[in-house]
């Protein structure tokens, strides 16, 4: 939508995502990302941490279940979504405003970790399994490593496009209803 503030942030989860269900049965996962800016101090020759920003994030429906199953406390994640302001009044009568992110995309940062991605049944996206302390590799369910000198030569292998084969990445994504 026009006028919305899109944001991308990189940080660490402060807790495991909390999965809840609305009275109508819709899943929602809430989590907080701590993001600390770093700057280089040329005089001392050292990196300095700035003030940590904590942003509450929420994601809905099956996506929420994937997040709760895949991400854990301490993981470095990349989050993209819509920044929203919400105002409320405390029990003492003070007015407060908080900023939250309605998540569009979230996944593990692969700068300091590896991930294994598996496609879920009937879904339109991958899912990350494992954690930052475990090895793992990046690949999809049913994919085979490239053969010979031609990584595109095998049917349904890494980046096989729409060549067919039994690669689940080539299957059309199921449509999910909008929020």
């Amino acid at each position: 939508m026009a006028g919305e503030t899109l944001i991308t942030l990189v940080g660490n989860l402060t807790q495991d995502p909390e999965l809840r269900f609305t009275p109508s049965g819709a899943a929602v996962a809430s989590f907080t990302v701590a993001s600390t800016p770093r700057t280089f101090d040329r005089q001392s020759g050292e990196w300095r941490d700035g003030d940590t920003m904590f942003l509450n994030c929420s994601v809905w429906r099956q996506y929420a279940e994937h997040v709760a199953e895949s991400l854990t406390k301490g993981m470095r994640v990349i989050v993209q979504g819509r920044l929203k302001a919400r105002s409320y009044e405390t029990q003492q009568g003070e007015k407060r405003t908080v900023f939250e992110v309605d998540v569009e995309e979230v996944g593990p940062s692969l700068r300091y970790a590896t991930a294994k991605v598996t496609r879920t049944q009937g879904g339109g996206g991958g899912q990350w399994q494992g954690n930052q302390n475990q090895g793992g590799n990046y690949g999809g369910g049913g994919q085979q490593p490239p053969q010979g000198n031609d990584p595109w030569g095998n049917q349904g292998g890494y980046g096989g496009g729409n060549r067919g084969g039994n690669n689940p990445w080539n299957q059309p994504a199921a449509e999910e209803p909008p929020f």
Side-chain angles (χ1 to χ4, degrees):
M1 271 191 224
E4 289 186 330
T5 302
L6 297 179
I7 184 172
T8 301
L9 65 130
V10 178
N12 295 75
L13 295 183
T14 61
Q15 295 291 324
D16 290 348
E18 178 185 348
L19 182 64
R20 296 179 321 239
F21 293 87
T22 65
S24 65
V28 59
S30 301
F31 56 93
T32 302
V33 176
S35 182
T36 306
R38 298 193 86 196
T39 56
F40 187 73
D41 183 343
R42 291 180 188 216
Q43 290 186 350
S44 68
E46 296 178 353
W47 287 94
R48 302 252 185 237
D49 287 341
D51 293 334
T52 301
M53 176 175 43
F54 297 90
L55 277 170
N56 294 325
C57 303
S58 59
V59 60
W60 291 83
R61 296 180 179 69
Q62 187 175 18
Y63 199 178
E65 294 180 43
H66 293 177
V67 166
E69 186 176 312
S70 303
L71 302 177
T72 58
K73 177 182 177 178
M75 281 186 177
R76 187 171 181 84
V77 294
I78 303 168
V79 177
Q80 187 269 325
R82 297 180 313 276
L83 187 64
K84 302 281 185 175
R86 182 174 55 86
S87 297
Y88 66 96
E89 193 170 310
T90 67
Q91 292 179 344
Q92 293 78 23
E94 300 171 333
K95 293 189 181 212
R96 301 265 172 97
T97 300
V98 294
F99 292 94
E100 300 171 333
V101 178
D102 285 340
V103 175
E104 293 286 329
E105 297 288 338
V106 60
S109 169
L110 299 180
R111 176 171 282 192
Y112 307 112
T114 60
K116 181 175 182 176
V117 178
T118 57
R119 179 114 177 191
T120 58
Q121 291 294 328
Q127 172 176 321
W128 185 75
Q129 294 182 341
N131 65 42
Q132 290 180 321
N133 296 323
Q134 285 179 251
N137 54 27
Y138 185 72
Q143 289 186 341
Q144 300 297 318
Q147 302 294 319
N149 292 330
D150 183 8
W152 311 113
N154 59 325
Q155 294 288 328
Y158 284 38
N162 290 323
R163 294 182 178 183
N166 63 358
N167 184 349
W169 295 95
N170 292 335
Q171 304 304 316
E175 290 292 321
E176 286 189 12
F179 286 40

